[in-house]
Amino acid sequence: MKRVSLTQHLVEEQRLHNSIPAELRLLIEVVARACKTISHSVGKGALGDILGSADTENIQGEVQKKLDVISNEILLEANEWGGHLAAMASEEMESIHPIPNRYPMGEYMLLFDPLDGSSNIDVNVSIGTIFSVLKAPEGMGAPTEADFMQAGSMQVAAGYAVYGPQTMLVLTTGNGVNCFTLDREMGSWVLTQRHMMIPEATKEFAINMSNQRHWHAPVQRYVNELLAGSTGPREKDFNMRWIASMVADVHRILNRGGIFMYPADTRDTSMPGKLRLMYEANPMAMIVEQAGGAATDGRTRILDIAPHKLHQRVPVFLGSKAEVALVTSYHAEQC
Ligand code: AHG
Ligand code: MN
Ligand code: MN
């Protein structure tokens, strides 16, 4: 089999679709290189002294793991000097990170969840990195948080790396979704799946069932129908999976179909759901739509939501189109 590297793929995409100018290619390659470094740290585990807590809290009030902090640093350092970015933003930083004056300023803005699935780090279960790329608004001066307040439909690229039995990079620049596997010996990303498409027929769902008693009625109804299986209205049995790393759950859905849900619930109305719009839901929604699936917050297409703050949370329903449409229709019937 002829091996196609990430660089070759990006160059070919540019020739085909004119969608990846040199600066964006540099950006993607730098992010991919940073993910390679994170993957290397993840693989070392206790031997690299990367497990356990950093004993600090991030802006969301979550205790940071050492690897959350390390991965954030790796991404910041890798992306600062290339001249391709104007600013960055991260789950692990309260405010945006403008590119320091000593480096040239580029036209893109990068957002990331440096380490997704933190609760799985110490138990050797798949984790990942999620990223989203926006263009800086025309005529932008010194970047501010307001410049990042763009709907997900404005993303020019989105992707994630999953650090599992294999390290993979899943990427879209708006012309389908492609998957690269890290060749650990060669240190290179090799194209291993072209044009990933989410299978429509599915018998799998992913949700944290321990929150069931807090869910709103439309989610209760939808999940109860799945649980009723072949004797219920769906007339087939469903299986459940919950990895607690969104990257790993989404990666399974891209390959095997299904639906992923992290709904809002009755507990804290100031906190609609758990996942963050700008660097978790938006990039995943772009990938899922590009792979023929759908993503909503129960009512609205995720990519159409106008953001109002960097760390805002959003309910998430994504995956196979018909399933997302069904649970979304149950929300519409409710109002
Ligand atoms: P993060 O580690 O970046 O904070 O994200 C974890 C998220 C997501 O990856 C996962 O789907 C979800 O939290 C798991 O939540 P529960 O702990 O409620 O299962
Ligand atoms: Mn996350
Ligand atoms: Mn994270």
Side-chain angles (χ1 to χ4, degrees):
M1 183 184 86
K2 187 183 168 303
R3 286 163 67 115
V4 175
S5 69
L6 175 64
T7 304
Q8 187 178 350
H9 169 79
L10 295 174
V11 169
E12 285 171 359
E13 282 268 297
Q14 164 64 5
R15 282 184 197 144
L16 265 178
H17 303 292
N18 202 21
S19 59
I20 313 182
E23 262 199 19
L24 181 57
R25 191 177 87 221
L26 175 65
L27 188 167
I28 293 168
E29 288 185 309
V30 170
V31 170
R33 201 175 310 136
C35 291
K36 207 157 51 177
T37 310
I38 298 170
S39 173
H40 188 254
S41 283
V42 169
K44 287 226 176 270
L47 306 178
D49 192 25
I50 54 106
L51 303 184
S53 166
D55 294 322
T56 46
E57 268 192 10
N58 67 13
I59 170 70
Q60 352 257 341
E62 299 161 342
V63 175
Q64 291 177 303
K65 300 281 186 165
K66 279 185 197 164
L67 202 58
D68 290 320
V69 178
I70 294 168
S71 307
N72 194 56
E73 283 302 316
I74 290 172
L75 281 157
L76 286 180
E77 271 179 32
N79 281 287
E80 260 187 359
W81 51 270
H84 50 285
L85 286 180
M88 290 180 256
S90 159
E91 177 190 348
E92 304 303 337
M93 300 186 298
E94 177 167 6
S95 8
I96 67 158
H97 179 94
I99 295 301
N101 289 335
R102 61 185 182 280
Y103 300 120
M105 200 167 109
E107 58 178 321
Y108 294 100
M109 303 193 299
L110 175 67
L111 298 101
F112 45 82
D113 173 355
L115 207 290
D116 177 64
S118 304
S119 72
N120 283 324
I121 297 170
D122 294 348
V123 292
N124 197 12
V125 171
S126 293
I127 48 183
T129 297
I130 310 172
F131 66 94
S132 158
V133 183
L134 293 168
K135 274 202 116 172
E138 284 291 319
M140 184 183 80
T144 65
E145 185 172 318
D147 298 313
F148 281 84
M149 296 300 102
Q150 304 179 30
S153 56
M154 302 296 283
Q155 293 172 107
V156 293
Y160 65 80
V162 57
Y163 314 116
Q166 302 118 47
T167 289
M168 289 178 167
L169 181 74
V170 170
L171 176 70
T172 183
T173 53
N175 290 295
V177 179
N178 295 289
C179 179
F180 303 82
T181 302
L182 180 63
D183 180 330
R184 295 180 208 259
E185 281 77 40
M186 303 295 286
S188 57
W189 293 103
V190 182
L191 181 61
T192 44
Q193 278 169 281
R194 268 182 208 275
H195 288 295
M196 298 177 86
M197 291 301 285
I198 298 178
E200 194 45 68
T202 175
K203 290 181 164 194
E204 282 182 339
F205 68 102
I207 192 164
N208 185 340
M209 285 294 297
S210 70
N211 296 325
Q212 179 164 26
R213 69 190 185 285
H214 306 295
W215 296 340
H216 296 295
V219 182
Q220 296 281 6
R221 175 181 171 193
Y222 175 72
V223 175
N224 279 335
E225 290 181 1
L226 301 181
L227 294 174
S230 53
T231 55
R234 302 298 303 269
E235 297 177 343
K236 64 177 177 182
D237 291 332
F238 284 80
N239 203 353
M240 196 192 81
R241 288 286 183 274
W242 184 251
I243 302 175
S245 294
M246 190 194 201
V247 276
D249 279 312
V250 169
H251 195 69
R252 182 191 60 255
I253 288 170
L254 276 181
N255 283 287
R256 219 157 69 180
I259 181 167
F260 170 95
M261 294 169 275
Y262 213 115
D265 62 36
T266 53
R267 277 173 293 184
D268 181 355
T269 45
S270 70
M271 210 175 102
K274 177 177 186 189
L275 300 172
R276 278 64 46 124
L277 175 64
M278 300 297 291
Y279 40 80
E280 291 180 316
N282 271 343
M284 288 310 200
M286 181 178 182
I287 291 167
V288 163
E289 284 199 5
Q290 285 288 318
T296 75
D297 69 353
R299 295 174 189 278
T300 308
R301 178 181 176 234
I302 298 262
L303 296 181
D304 286 339
I305 296 173
H308 54 86
K309 62 175 196 241
L310 194 54
H311 298 290
Q312 90 186 59
R313 296 179 193 253
V314 67
V316 173
F317 300 85
L318 61 77
S320 296
K321 221 176 196 162
E323 294 302 321
V324 175
L326 185 60
V327 69
T328 304
S329 75
Y330 288 178
H331 283 79
E333 281 175 35
Q334 177 75 15
C335 58

